[in-house]
Amino acid sequence: MIRVSVQREAFDIAAETLALEAAGVGAVATFTGIVRGDDGVTAIELEHYPGMTEASLREICEAAQHRWLPSRCTIIHRVGRLPVGDPIVLVATASP
């Protein structure tokens, strides 16, 4: 199963991880990217090309499934204005 979402809303890391665990897998690995406040940055603004962005993220999941055989892959990437400390991206994979 592959789930890709490009969205403005924040995501719940724990809920996303639990959703993968509910599938009866043996391992879940996650990566979360966070907005840093380097050099006085207070927020970042992220844009994307609808359709193309989702397709590229799906290709990343498909390549990972082909190479490492995870049974599930979730990528959530946020767009819009994100203040320091907000999560930007979640990549989660699950495997038997």
Side-chain angles (χ1 to χ4, degrees):
M1 179 199 95
I2 293 176
R3 179 172 169 280
V4 170
S5 179
V6 177
Q7 62 191 47
R8 291 188 175 275
E9 308 81 35
F11 50 82
D12 183 334
I13 298 165
E16 295 296 336
T17 302
L18 285 172
L20 290 174
E21 290 172 3
V25 298
V28 175
T30 65
F31 167 82
T32 307
I34 308 291
V35 178
R36 295 187 320 241
D38 297 344
D39 298 323
V41 170
T42 59
I44 62 173
E45 182 82 27
L46 298 176
E47 298 177 351
H48 75 112
Y49 292 100
M52 189 168 111
T53 304
E54 293 86 349
S56 293
L57 295 175
R58 180 168 292 283
E59 286 176 15
I60 291 168
C61 282
E62 289 170 351
Q65 283 186 324
H66 178 73
R67 184 169 180 181
W68 293 294
L69 304 176
S71 59
R72 296 177 175 266
C73 179
T74 297
I75 298 180
I76 302 172
H77 204 301
R78 294 183 63 203
V79 295
R81 188 175 193 282
L82 304 173
V84 168
D86 264 21
I88 303 168
V89 63
L90 172 68
V91 178
T93 61
S95 188

